[in-house]
Amino acid sequence: NSDNNLVLDVINCTFADNTLSYNRGSTISVSYNSQVNLYNTILYGNDGYSITLFENVLVNINNSLIEGSNNNVHYYYPLSIVNWEDGNLQGDTNPLFDSTNEQYPYSLSANSPCIDGGTLNLPEGIELPEYDLAGNPRVVGNSIDMGAYEYQGTAAQEEFNIQNSTF
C-alpha cells in the first residue's frame, strides 16, 4: 500500500498465497497521484485483486507475471492507467514454484516459465543485489528470472555450493 504522490519501483519480488482478513482488498494498493513500476515480479495465488488503483494512478508492468492480468486489477477510480509493457507472461500462466523446496517454497522449479523471463533494463540508479533472497547468485543463465529467487539449475547450484564450502 503506497502513500499519496509516490513513485515506487518493485523489482524481483514474489507475492504469493496471501490471504485477506476480510475477504476483500488486494495484494498491492496504489494511492492517489502515485506511480508504481513492476519489474520481474510475480503476483500469484493471492486472495482478492492483484492490484487496486485509486485516483490518478499509473502502473507500468514489465517482464512480470500478474495472475489474471487486467482482469485482476481493480480500477477503484477510472482515471488510472496500467501499461502492460514488454515481456509479461499471460495471466493464466502458472509460475511453477518448487513445492519440494521446504526452505524456499516460492523458488522456481526447473520448468518454470519465469526462468530467464526478467529484464535487466531497469530504471537509472537501480542496482540489483549480487545475490537473491536465498543467497544464490542473482543472475544465472541467459537473463534474470522473474520473482525473488533465481533458478540455479543443477550445475550452477553445485558450483555455487563448492565455491562457498570450506575444505
Side-chain angles (χ1 to χ4, degrees):
N1 190 357
S2 68
D3 290 329
N4 299 337
N5 303 305
L6 290 180
V7 175
L8 177 65
D9 294 316
V10 178
I11 302 169
N12 281 99
C13 292
T14 300
F15 301 90
D17 295 332
N18 293 290
T19 57
L20 303 167
S21 300
Y22 301 104
N23 231 7
R24 60 179 222 187
S26 64
T27 304
I28 297 175
S29 295
V30 187
S31 296
Y32 305 90
N33 302 314
S34 295
Q35 177 179 332
V36 173
N37 304 303
L38 300 174
Y39 295 89
N40 310 334
T41 294
I42 300 170
L43 279 86
Y44 188 82
N46 300 297
D47 284 348
Y49 291 102
S50 288
I51 303 169
T52 295
L53 308 175
F54 290 91
E55 191 170 1
N56 197 28
V57 169
L58 174 62
V59 176
N60 298 303
I61 303 174
N62 301 274
N63 295 79
S64 295
L65 170 57
I66 311 302
E67 183 179 26
S69 296
N70 205 47
N71 292 331
N72 209 4
V73 175
H74 181 215
Y75 293 84
Y76 197 79
Y77 289 99
L79 298 177
S80 294
I81 298 170
V82 175
N83 291 320
W84 297 91
E85 305 289 347
D86 294 332
N88 295 307
L89 295 177
Q90 295 294 320
D92 60 351
T93 302
N94 184 328
L96 300 175
F97 295 125
D98 184 358
S99 61
T100 64
N101 188 332
E102 292 179 17
Q103 187 172 8
Y104 303 107
Y106 298 104
S107 60
L108 303 174
S109 66
N111 54 353
S112 172
C114 298
I115 294 172
D116 292 337
T119 181
L120 292 169
N121 186 15
L122 302 174
E124 187 174 324
I126 298 292
E127 292 184 31
L128 286 172
E130 190 175 344
Y131 301 100
D132 69 8
L133 290 181
N136 294 312
R138 178 74 266 182
V139 180
V140 174
N142 297 324
S143 185
I144 192 167
D145 298 343
M146 293 178 187
Y149 301 100
E150 185 77 9
Y151 179 73
Q152 300 299 301
T154 307
Q157 185 62 52
E158 289 171 5
E159 181 181 330
F160 179 76
N161 291 340
I162 290 169
Q163 289 175 352
N164 292 290
S165 298
T166 55
F167 294 96

